[in-house]
Amino acid sequence: MRTKHFLLLLFAVIGTSLLFILFGPAGQQNDSIKNIVSQTHEQLRNLQNNLRDANEQHPEMDPKYLAQLGFTHSLYNGTRYNFSIVTYTQSGEVASTILYAQNIATKLPTEQLLIYDLGLSESDLHTLQAFCNSSRCSVITYDLSSLPSYVTDENMHAFRPIIIHDALARARTVLFTENSVRLRNSGKELTDIRVKTENTSGVMGWTTQQAVTSRTHPKMFDYFDTDSDNFQFLPMVSLDFVFFVSTPTVNDKIMLPWVRCMLTPECLHPIGAQSAGCKYNKKPQYRYSGCHGYDTSAFNIILGLTFGFDEAKYSTHEESASALYYVESLEQATKILENRRKNISDTSEHPFTEE
């Protein structure tokens, strides 16, 4: 991308020089030609230096955050599990998180559940802890206040790779999901996918129907020094439900650059990026839809670069996701929990079968 800009500037300089030669005063043309050649060479050297400086001054996060987040040395010294389910909860989401904890306890009763508290009120935290009070369920109050303020933004979700990285210090393999996810069953398919992930790439998610380019602001590709054309036919992987394994590849080539991007505003939120206003009816469909995926977009660029643009190495098709889980809105969860408190049975509570 920067080379393209350099060539455009080069042609502009040459074109301006030729026009000056052709239309300048006839008596001064010989001297002018010499001066123009000299000046052109000087301008080209300046352009090359500017291009080199731009590469060397690549926007980067403050390195202090790497140590703070445990990339230079582990911050966790407790028991490390083989496998954990991981989610997070924010202010106003306690109803959905309670039902999530109950769903996991029912479907995967022998597995460890980690719930990251990212800003619950004291009363909501106590309420959640009452439902997460076994040795298999832990609520981790995670302080994001020392990081840039935008990290807590609910649209950008810059905190997701940060808590996934922390979870990978607590468990060798994690299944990260949103708290709106509800498992349909504890079937063998979930275990099979986990084992496959552990034995292959170390990361496994589910694709969507959108191309990476349709949900990624073009300037984010510039940050990763890659051409958006490479991603036009690469399907976007959702972050609703993803397996991660703590391997050198995942830690160094996926988690580290992902967190670096999240803590670099020029990467996470390019000028002009927004999360609303998606227009998927553009032709061709891989064109930028007008809305940016922030952490999800960065995640997909990194996956493409790491695995040679072969989505089969890190994802499976979205059709199989419906056999594993469904998504329950916060409004539905709030209604269900309130009805349970009132001992009201409502057959419309769960619009999807769990069988």
Side-chain angles (χ1 to χ4, degrees):
M1 189 64 68
R2 293 189 180 93
T3 302
K4 185 185 297 183
H5 292 161
F6 172 73
L7 291 175
L8 290 174
L9 288 171
L10 172 61
F11 292 141
V13 170
I14 294 174
T16 302
S17 301
L18 289 175
L19 288 174
F20 191 91
I21 292 171
L22 292 174
F23 299 104
Q28 300 177 359
Q29 284 187 357
N30 289 335
D31 291 337
S32 296
I33 291 173
K34 294 179 181 178
N35 291 334
I36 289 170
V37 170
S38 175
Q39 292 173 8
T40 299
H41 286 168
E42 182 177 355
Q43 290 180 38
L44 290 176
R45 285 194 296 271
N46 290 336
L47 288 173
Q48 290 174 330
N49 291 335
N50 290 336
L51 180 63
R52 188 180 304 111
D53 291 342
N55 287 328
E56 292 175 353
Q57 296 173 7
H58 196 64
E60 187 54 275
M61 61 172 281
D62 190 326
K64 70 180 182 182
Y65 294 129
L66 292 181
Q68 181 180 324
L69 296 174
F71 278 94
T72 57
H73 62 282
S74 178
L75 302 177
Y76 178 72
N77 297 317
T79 302
R80 195 179 192 205
Y81 303 99
N82 287 325
F83 175 61
S84 289
I85 301 98
V86 177
T87 193
Y88 66 93
T89 184
Q90 296 178 293
S91 177
E93 297 179 348
V94 67
S96 182
T97 312
I98 288 171
L99 294 186
Y100 177 92
Q102 292 177 334
N103 174 259
I104 297 298
T106 301
K107 304 301 183 182
L108 298 173
T110 63
E111 304 297 353
Q112 190 72 22
L113 171 61
L114 304 178
I115 302 174
Y116 283 78
D117 161 28
L118 302 183
L120 292 181
S121 66
E122 186 174 346
S123 61
D124 280 350
L125 176 58
H126 290 161
T127 300
L128 176 60
Q129 288 173 332
F131 287 89
C132 181
N133 60 358
S134 72
S135 61
R136 295 290 181 182
C137 184
S138 302
V139 179
I140 302 169
T141 298
Y142 197 86
D143 185 10
L144 296 170
S145 63
S146 61
L147 299 174
S149 59
Y150 65 80
V151 170
T152 59
D153 188 286
E154 295 182 19
N155 291 320
M156 299 185 193
H157 291 108
F159 52 79
R160 289 198 288 199
I162 292 172
I163 64 175
I164 291 169
H165 166 70
D166 185 83
L168 286 171
R170 301 169 187 268
R172 178 176 177 268
T173 302
V174 303
L175 169 58
F176 172 81
T177 81
E178 291 291 299
N179 64 48
S180 58
V181 162
R182 305 290 180 263
L183 296 180
R184 291 189 182 279
N185 52 59
S186 54
K188 182 175 179 294
E189 184 177 0
L190 192 67
T191 301
D192 289 345
I193 295 172
R194 169 190 161 189
V195 172
K196 177 183 177 181
T197 307
E198 292 173 339
N199 292 331
T200 54
S201 65
V203 61
M204 185 65 64
W206 275 257
T207 58
T208 66
Q209 295 182 352
Q210 288 84 42
V212 174
T213 48
S214 73
R215 286 294 313 280
T216 303
H217 193 283
K219 291 182 181 178
M220 181 175 269
F221 295 105
D222 292 345
Y223 175 85
F224 287 102
D225 294 323
T226 187
D227 196 321
S228 62
D229 291 352
N230 296 322
F231 298 85
Q232 289 178 348
F233 301 101
L234 198 67
M236 195 86 154
V237 171
S238 167
L239 271 170
D240 284 350
F241 197 93
V242 186
F243 282 95
F244 293 88
V245 185
S246 181
T247 67
T249 295
V250 171
N251 294 331
D252 299 337
K253 295 187 177 181
I254 296 176
M255 298 309 306
L256 179 56
W258 195 13
V259 170
R260 283 184 181 274
C261 177
M262 296 303 95
L263 296 174
T264 306
E266 293 82 358
C267 177
L268 174 65
H269 190 182
I271 296 175
Q274 60 183 19
S275 60
C278 305
K279 296 180 180 179
Y280 295 123
N281 58 350
K282 293 184 177 182
K283 302 295 182 180
Q285 292 186 344
Y286 56 72
R287 286 183 58 194
Y288 181 49
S289 66
C291 63
H292 181 53
Y294 297 100
D295 68 324
T296 307
S297 294
F299 178 56
N300 278 269
I301 291 176
I302 292 167
L303 289 177
L305 294 173
T306 301
F307 296 108
F309 311 104
D310 183 359
E311 72 272 16
K313 293 181 179 179
Y314 57 82
S315 67
T316 187
H317 298 295
E318 64 176 343
E319 291 80 5
S320 65
S322 61
L324 294 176
Y325 68 92
Y326 62 92
V327 174
E328 190 170 73
S329 71
L330 180 58
E331 182 181 3
Q332 290 171 328
T334 302
K335 179 183 176 183
I336 293 168
L337 195 61
E338 185 62 27
N339 285 348
R340 287 183 181 177
R341 287 170 177 166
K342 295 178 180 178
N343 292 321
I344 298 174
S345 177
D346 184 351
T347 56
S348 66
E349 286 179 356
H350 293 277
F352 305 96
T353 176
E354 295 185 11
E355 299 301 326

